[in-house]
Amino acid sequence: MTLLLLEVAWLALPLLVLSVASMPLTKQLKVAIIDSNPALGRRDCIEKTDLPDPRVSTVTPATISFFKDVGAWDYVQQNRHAFFDKMQVWDYTGLGYTRYNARDVGKEILGCVVENKVLHASLLSCLQKSDFHKTIYPSRLTSMALQSHSKEVESKLPGAKLCDHGSFVKLDLSNGDSLFAKLVVGADGAKSYVRELAGLKTTGWNYSQNAIICTVEHNVENQCAWQRFLPTGPIALLPIGDRFSNIVWTMSPKESSERKTMNEDDFVKAVNHALDYGYGPHPQSSSVSNYGDRLSWLIADMTSSSKECFEVPPKVVKIASERMVFPLSLLHSNDYASNRVVLIGDAAHTVHPLAGQGVNLGFGDATVLSKVISDGISIGSDIGEISLLRKFEAERKPANIMMMALLDGFQKAYTVDFGPLNVLRAAAFHAAQFITPLKKNIISYATGEQKWPLFS
């Protein structure tokens, strides 16, 4: 059968391979994985008693379903992870807040926070156990070019029906090997070399912001996801289990440099200050009843979380990991596909982390691409033909752009301290808190249950 070649990134690629391996029409494909990361060839031992790594992802119920479908979720459940069914979002001005609850949409959870190394290991474990026809090349891609059918290609792909389809992609590796593929999937991150070699252009900008991330510890278990918008960017406190939480704090590069190097006691005080009374007062919970009376015609069927009072997050008592700093940017490939090349994950799009959606967008890409490939094979299409790959792009690009636009809009709206804009932000919080259809749509969209954000 046809060779499907993949240039690896961190998570979207293994999920794509496992998804392809699980489908009857695609499990006979020959897959070559190019990655110089030694983790692909070994099984790292992750101890549940280890301190949590600061690099985590918030996976949605839709992503959890993907992991269950390919058999990777059992591994996650055996390691540290934290489901959460509640989330509180508020503004430093004290003018408004919104609380979300999974019960608002008849669900048990809003999401699950998992260490990246656990997600990675779960997918690699399934990949290593699979009897799917795959070859891993611990090397780097150095060049890529379209090539027509020839004896050289035929010798590299014995048994392949080369006469049926014209061209292949020739890939040269740093170890001197050359490979030939009907389709190259670039899942090699925001600085994608596959994207560069394919000549696919991008649009994007830097936010002049950094995110500082770390693991913190509480005296009590944290079972809620918290996010407060501050003048320089949001701070998120995400449960990770065993009285640990993850901090993602957006700020200016100068401030991030200072926060990274300050002593632990001062950093703990700064975090608690940012999550409590720092920068402004708490929102008034009494506004619930006031708005409830005024807008009773609109909110007759209020959700349970619409009646919940504002809460203060649990205090941080200790830092449990190193503090890491990352620059923030937005990047989007103008095209996801060219002839015999397709991009997924961060190679196609990178987003602001304020809603934790980046990894879920990549998983969505992987799932849709595997289905498009399967559908193409079912009707005898060449899996590398641009007409087929455009079907993947047509489904994923609008959804990704919508999410990117929303996140970029939030980033811009909440980094401006301007009186009239503060009032508008407060109105948005109150609308999300009290207008039941709006709140349900926000939850369904954020959890991956709904494709578009407004009443679809």
Side-chain angles (χ1 to χ4, degrees), residues 254-302:
K254 181 177 181 295
E255 188 179 4
S256 69
S257 179
E258 295 169 352
R259 300 288 190 205
K260 179 175 169 55
T261 56
M262 67 172 42
N263 68 58
E264 180 175 325
D265 288 343
D266 287 343
F267 185 78
V268 168
K269 290 178 183 177
V271 169
N272 286 325
H273 181 73
L275 288 167
D276 200 340
Y277 275 110
Y279 305 95
H282 295 165
Q284 295 297 310
S285 297
S286 59
S287 61
V288 173
S289 58
N290 294 341
Y291 274 80
D293 295 337
R294 194 178 308 169
L295 302 177
S296 58
W297 61 275
L298 185 60
I299 57 177
D301 184 27
M302 282 202 303

Side-chain angles (χ1 to χ4, degrees), residues 154-167:
E154 197 169 296
S155 68
K156 295 288 185 179
L157 292 175
K161 297 180 180 179
L162 300 179
C163 57
D164 294 341
H165 307 298
S167 61

